Amino acid sequence: MDMDTLLSYQWSAMMPEFIILGVATLISLLDLFVGKRIKHSWLGYLAAAGVIGSFVSLCLLRKGLPVTILYDTFRLDSFAVTFKFLLLIGAFFTLLIAIHERSDEIKHRGEFYYLFLTALLGAMMMASSGDLITLFVGLELLSISSYILAGIKKSSLRSNEAALKYVITGGIASAIALFGLSYIYGITGSTNLLTISEVLGENQSYEFIAVLAFLLVLVGLTFKIASAPFHMWAPDVYEGSPTSVTAFLSIVSKTAGFVLILRVFLSVFANVPMLQKSVTFLYGMQDYLFIVAGVTIVIGNVVALRQKNMKRLFAYSSIAHAGYVLVAFAVLSPFMMDAIWFYLLAYLFMTVGAFTVIHIIQQQQGNDGITSFAGLYKTSPYLAIVMSGFLLSLAGIPGTAGFIGKFNIFLGALATSPTHYVIVSLMIIATVISYYYYFGIFTQMFFRSAEQERTYRVPRVLLFSTFLCLGATIILGIFPNVAYQFFFNEVHQFKDFFN
């Protein structure tokens, strides 16, 4: 590639990524040279400022889409923009939690912040990947950084165990996904996603290998979203990691996983016909997606009933919510994209808000068991009320964003032909089951007495964070068109996704 070609690219399309990369590099240099003389919370605010800067630059790039550079390996289209908004918002609120972690939770603050930004950079690259190579590079950038973040508490045995389990299972999942991607490259001779789709559509003699590749990639990517039966790492990793890392894995990493699933499967398999059926390849594999989604919903909600640790409970709750989103993907309804995007947006606010409350209580009690919430309404009415709002939304109670998200998935499953009554019934039953463990936290907060009376000190930043998250959860539940109007104005029905 000559210099003229290199300079001809519209590099401004990567400005959000350049900002994150620049701030991560700056934090690493500051930590290296003046780490002992600088207040480490300043590094956290610098990281948050970088996320805000990236968000602003993304807003300025919304017009004139799509933009492709580097031989279509990097795509800035409406899909990438809308999902990058979710990644950046989730990362910002998670950073606010990290800034207020105790020093014994995160001793190496500089390392934490630039690894955090590096993981975010990998997630953003995944959203804009137009090629298998950049896609896998982004996946590994996110994964390797996440492995280190999970074990950032070096002196904690639980943290060491979490990191070890995460890196072993994550490495196996990445290898399986790469194995499937290698089959796709082998039968098409290309790593470009759209070219792969064209070649598969023209030559259907490799259908068996394509099915094998589909299943291998599905196994590798469902690990990232912690769906059953590849979910066993999640409870231990969530429990052993600092709360900010747990929130990051539950929100940013999970959103990135769904972005990757949508980008790969819709780009490659959505328009490829099957030989034995008069449907596209993705419709032909629909039953496998329903099995994964159904098992994930059941396991997540049923096993959560036995949990006594808040992080483990929310790990299984996160698994169940991954199953709900997979249902929206599996039914392949006409409004699949907006249902998934809205659900991930609602999940972002209610989950980061809940983890912020868990973080405040854990920091001041040193305990993350469910009983640590006993008597919270008397000791801190504000925390009890905001936590109630997040729990109601997670449970899918009307008037909250979580209800609208689930309701749209129900409609998607009922609007297709044939109608998917079984998976809808399963979702309803599982949602009712979830009331038991969510309302068990209500019981602790409002109907149990605290073993020790204490006054909770809520930092102003976290007070502001929980207020924003609760406000967004309620507004999106009452006026969901606020989000949908933004979505439809941005995506233009994703006309630029397949070209």
Side-chain angles (χ1 to χ4, degrees):
M1 183 184 298
D2 56 35
M3 185 59 67
D4 291 337
T5 304
L6 194 63
L7 294 176
S8 67
Y9 290 132
Q10 193 174 340
W11 291 106
S12 60
M14 295 188 70
M15 185 55 65
E17 285 78 10
F18 287 147
I19 292 175
I20 296 297
L21 177 61
V23 174
T25 304
L26 178 61
I27 290 175
S28 65
L29 293 175
L30 288 174
D31 184 59
L32 178 63
F33 293 107
V34 293
K36 295 182 180 179
R37 300 190 298 274
I38 191 172
K39 192 174 181 181
H40 282 96
S41 61
W42 294 358
L43 297 179
Y45 287 115
L46 178 59
V51 172
I52 293 174
S54 181
F55 185 88
V56 172
S57 69
L58 189 62
C59 291
L60 298 176
L61 292 171
R62 288 160 48 197
K63 305 300 180 182
L65 301 177
V67 177
T68 62
I69 60 175
L70 298 172
Y71 300 103
D72 205 27
T73 58
F74 185 92
R75 296 177 54 86
L76 185 68
D77 50 18
S78 55
F79 175 88
V81 169
T82 52
F83 281 95
K84 281 182 185 179
F85 278 130
L86 298 184
L87 295 172
L88 290 170
I89 293 171
F92 175 76
F93 282 109
T94 306
L95 274 172
L96 298 184
I97 300 176
I99 291 169
H100 293 87
E101 292 272 15
R102 289 199 313 256
S103 58
D104 60 337
E105 287 283 310
I106 303 176
K107 292 182 179 180
H108 307 278
R109 295 297 181 100
E111 292 180 12
F112 176 88
Y113 293 123
Y114 63 71
L115 285 169
F116 182 98
L117 293 179
T118 303
L120 174 62
L121 178 63
M124 295 174 68
M125 290 295 296
M126 288 159 59
S128 286
S129 294
D131 191 275
L132 294 180
I133 296 174
T134 52
L135 183 149
F136 192 76
V137 168
L139 174 63
E140 288 306 291
L141 191 59
L142 169 64
S143 299
I144 294 173
S145 300
S146 299
Y147 301 153
I148 304 172
L149 289 173
I152 199 75
K153 294 193 295 182
K154 300 178 182 179
S155 58
S156 169
L157 292 179
R158 285 201 306 176
S159 183
N160 294 337
E161 179 187 358
L164 182 62
K165 289 183 177 179
Y166 196 17
V167 71
I168 292 175
T169 54
I172 294 172
S174 295
I176 294 173
L178 186 60
F179 192 34
L181 295 176
S182 69
Y183 274 128
I184 294 175
Y185 172 73
I187 61 179
T188 62
S190 175
T191 57
N192 182 272
L193 295 178
L194 299 183
T195 303
I196 290 171
S197 180
E198 293 175 3
V199 174
L200 286 177
E202 295 170 357
N203 188 349
Q204 301 169 35
S205 59
Y206 299 110
E207 184 174 305
F208 175 78
I209 299 178
V211 169
L212 179 60
F214 179 95
L215 295 176
L216 288 171
V217 175
L218 180 65
V219 168
L221 297 187
T222 49
F223 165 87
K224 183 54 64 179
I225 61 174
S227 69
F230 316 106
H231 65 285
M232 296 306 295
W233 62 272
D236 293 321
V237 173
Y238 277 39
E239 182 182 10
S241 303
T243 308
S244 54
V245 177
T246 304
F248 177 84
L249 296 176
S250 182
I251 299 163
V252 178
S253 183
K254 188 178 292 291
T255 299
F258 278 109
V259 166
L260 194 56
I261 288 173
L262 292 172
R263 178 69 85 176
V264 173
F265 291 140
L266 292 182
S267 296
V268 175
F269 296 107
N271 296 317
V272 177
M274 297 191 78
L275 283 175
Q276 304 299 326
K277 301 179 181 179
S278 58
V279 294
T280 63
F281 196 94
L282 202 53
Y283 273 103
M285 304 301 292
Q286 203 173 28
D287 291 341
Y288 296 98
L289 296 173
F290 276 127
I291 291 172
V292 173
V295 173
T296 301
I297 292 172
V298 172
I299 290 179
N301 283 299
V302 171
V303 182
L305 297 173
R306 301 288 298 172
Q307 304 306 310
K308 302 301 181 183
N309 180 280
M310 287 296 291
K311 287 185 178 180
R312 294 186 71 88
L313 187 150
F314 271 82
Y316 283 105
S317 169
S318 175
I319 292 167
H321 284 282
Y324 298 143
V325 182
L326 277 175
V327 170
F329 175 62
V331 297
L332 299 172
S333 67
F335 37 90
M336 170 187 67
M337 282 291 199
D338 48 298
I340 292 176
W341 184 84
F342 184 90
Y343 198 95
L344 291 175
L345 177 65
Y347 181 77
L348 185 162
F349 286 116
M350 58 193 180
T351 303
V352 77
F355 273 116
T356 302
V357 177
I358 293 172
H359 162 78
I360 293 170
I361 293 176
Q362 181 191 25
Q363 293 290 97
Q364 299 184 38
Q365 278 202 29
N367 177 21
D368 53 13
I370 294 180
T371 55
S372 64
F373 280 76
L376 184 62
Y377 180 71
K378 294 182 180 179
T379 56
S380 180
Y382 173 78
L383 290 179
I385 290 172
V386 296
M387 189 64 175
S388 299
F390 301 136
L391 291 174
L392 290 173
S393 185
L394 286 163
I397 300 300
T400 63
F403 169 78
I404 300 296
K406 287 183 180 178
F407 184 71
N408 287 332
I409 295 175
F410 289 150
L411 289 181
L414 295 174
T416 55
S417 181
T419 306
H420 303 288
Y421 292 111
V422 174
I423 197 68
V424 170
S425 302
L426 188 62
M427 285 184 66
I428 294 173
I429 294 171
T431 299
V432 173
I433 292 174
S434 71
Y435 293 164
Y436 181 85
Y437 59 83
Y438 286 133
F439 291 163
I441 304 174
F442 275 100
T443 302
Q444 293 291 333
M445 292 191 297
F446 293 95
F447 303 108
R448 296 289 185 269
S449 300
E451 295 181 0
Q452 179 182 355
E453 293 292 335
R454 64 175 72 240
T455 301
Y456 288 99
R457 300 182 303 277
V458 183
R460 293 181 180 179
V461 172
L462 297 185
L463 190 69
F464 173 73
S465 174
T466 53
F467 179 79
L468 280 183
C469 290
L470 181 62
T473 300
I474 295 173
I475 290 172
L476 293 178
I478 300 175
F479 306 106
N481 283 340
V482 173
Y484 280 117
Q485 194 66 37
F486 166 81
F487 180 83
F488 289 121
N489 287 339
E490 290 299 315
V491 303
H492 308 294
Q493 298 180 342
F494 287 119
K495 292 179 180 178
D496 57 358
F497 186 84
F498 296 104
N499 58 56

